[in-house]
Amino acid sequence: MANAADENFEFQKIVVVLGFTLLIIKYVAYWLTGSVAIFTDATESIVNVVAACVGIYALYLSAQPADRDHPFGHGKVEIISSAIEGSMIIVAGAVIIYETIESFIHPGDITDKLDIGLVLIALAAVANYVVGRAAIRRGNKTRSPALVASGKHLCSDTYSSIGILIGLVVVFIAESMGYDATWLDSSIAAIFGIIIIGTGIGVMKRAVDEVMDTADDDLLDEVTETINEYRHDDWIDVYNLRLIKYGPKIYANVKVVYPRTMTVEQQAQENDEIDEAIRAKYGDAVETSINSVPCQPFHCRYCGRNCLARSQEFEGQMVWTADILCTKETHAPRPYVTVESGDQSL
């Protein structure tokens, strides 16, 4: 986990350097062309730079080990960073829309250097997309909300740049043919201002879901698949599975039903097997807490163990799905009821 966090921090440095570089390029393009649409692209790049700086600080804190004041580590700071970035994206979209309204009221002129501006914006779009997709892939792999937010921000910048490029190509052709297409420049900026606001709202929603510890269905399915893959016959039932994410760190809590004839040492060995199975998937990014529960007579229907304490015939192992593992109670067969009378179970 520590290595992943450090690598995320180093990757975010690339995002920061890219943000500063593209900010300069886009404002040069705006200075050359006078295009309001290019101005909107450059304005969003200011947000990119500030958000990237916030993200790099968040990733630095996230990489710090757990301590007395933060026993679960510092991973939640990435959610704060993601929320800040989402709010900044929304603000950038609002500023862009405001500027487009101003341009409609007080229209300016587009210079004859629009072709140079288009080339510069195209190069910036390609760079944003390449780094943005890489950031999203890495962020999803290491479960880093801050890195995913940075990547989505860069990609949204790319998409807006592409739209602006398409529109400005039309403007360039129209201007070349002697038509006044200044209004189209402002219209394009307004459209992508709205799109940028939508992207910011999406980032904010994801941050809220992280704060509320909303269940990650993909993660639950992965853990369920891992438990089924390494399943032992002595794992009679698994339930009350809970997964909590703190940045790139995952905390897994689960209850496992073992044969009541097993010793404490044997149960501890089985717990270690479950822990190793999950770590084989996620490495040091996961910490497990496994509670051993002794079986009850009704569990005999699910247990194929040759056991002198058996009170019911074995009918087959349980089929475990994510929904089944997340139930809070052990899975008693229905409609059977086990009644104990003296030394016999009915």
Side-chain angles (χ1 to χ4, degrees), residues 170-198:
V170 176
V171 172
F172 178 73
I173 294 173
E175 293 283 339
S176 300
M177 298 175 65
Y179 295 101
D180 183 8
T182 305
W183 64 271
L184 182 58
D185 179 46
S186 300
S187 300
I188 295 167
I191 291 171
F192 282 94
I194 295 171
I195 293 174
I196 289 168
I197 289 177

Side-chain angles (χ1 to χ4, degrees), residues 75-319:
K76 287 286 187 181
V77 72
E78 293 195 32
I79 301 173
I80 299 173
S81 168
S82 180
I84 292 173
E85 185 160 351
S87 63
M88 292 178 68
I89 295 173
I90 294 172
V91 170
V95 170
I96 289 170
I97 292 174
Y98 172 80
E99 290 296 332
T100 57
I101 293 173
E102 282 289 308
S103 70
F104 275 119
I105 298 173
H106 306 289
D109 295 326
I110 298 178
T111 71
D112 58 0
K113 296 182 179 179
L114 184 58
D115 53 345
I116 300 175
L118 290 175
V119 172
L120 292 175
I121 295 301
L123 292 175
V126 172
N128 264 336
Y129 185 78
V130 171
V131 177
R133 291 305 304 173
I136 291 173
R137 283 195 300 269
R138 173 152 196 86
N140 286 329
K141 181 180 179 180
T142 59
R143 289 178 170 76
S144 170
L147 204 54
V148 170
S150 290
K152 287 192 172 183
H153 197 167
L154 291 176
C155 285
S156 71
D157 194 16
T158 300
Y159 303 144
S160 62
S161 294
I162 291 173
I164 288 169
L165 281 169
I166 294 172
L168 288 180
V169 167
V170 176
V171 172
F172 178 73
I173 294 173
E175 293 283 339
S176 300
M177 298 175 65
Y179 295 101
D180 183 8
T182 305
W183 64 271
L184 182 58
D185 179 46
S186 300
S187 300
I188 295 167
I191 291 171
F192 282 94
I194 295 171
I195 293 174
I196 289 168
I197 289 177
T199 300
I201 291 173
V203 173
M204 287 286 289
K205 181 182 181 300
R206 177 163 179 165
V208 171
D209 287 343
E210 293 279 353
V211 170
M212 297 296 293
D213 291 325
T214 302
D216 185 329
D217 291 335
D218 291 337
L219 181 60
L220 285 171
D221 288 339
E222 287 177 2
V223 172
T224 300
E225 182 180 342
T226 300
I227 291 175
N228 276 308
E229 180 181 353
Y230 290 88
R231 181 172 186 164
H232 290 188
D233 290 339
D234 288 333
W235 304 355
I236 301 173
D237 192 11
V238 178
Y239 66 100
N240 203 28
L241 173 64
R242 292 176 293 175
L243 303 172
I244 300 176
K245 295 185 295 182
Y246 282 79
K249 192 77 174 180
I250 304 169
Y251 293 89
N253 183 279
V254 68
K255 292 182 178 180
V256 184
V257 176
Y258 295 122
R260 59 182 180 270
T261 56
M262 290 179 65
T263 65
V264 173
E265 181 179 2
Q266 289 172 327
Q267 291 180 4
Q269 290 176 348
E270 293 297 324
N271 286 347
D272 289 341
E273 291 285 343
I274 297 175
D275 179 75
E276 290 175 9
I278 298 176
R279 283 182 181 276
K281 176 74 174 180
Y282 300 105
D284 292 336
V286 66
E287 287 190 13
T288 63
S289 176
I290 304 169
N291 300 315
S292 304
V293 179
C295 68
Q296 299 298 319
F298 60 76
H299 284 121
C300 290
R301 302 182 191 275
Y302 303 142
C303 178
R305 201 169 192 252
N306 186 14
C307 176
L308 296 176
R310 175 173 297 280
S311 60
Q312 304 287 341
E313 291 295 324
F314 173 61
E315 297 180 359
Q317 288 184 326
M318 292 187 61
V319 177

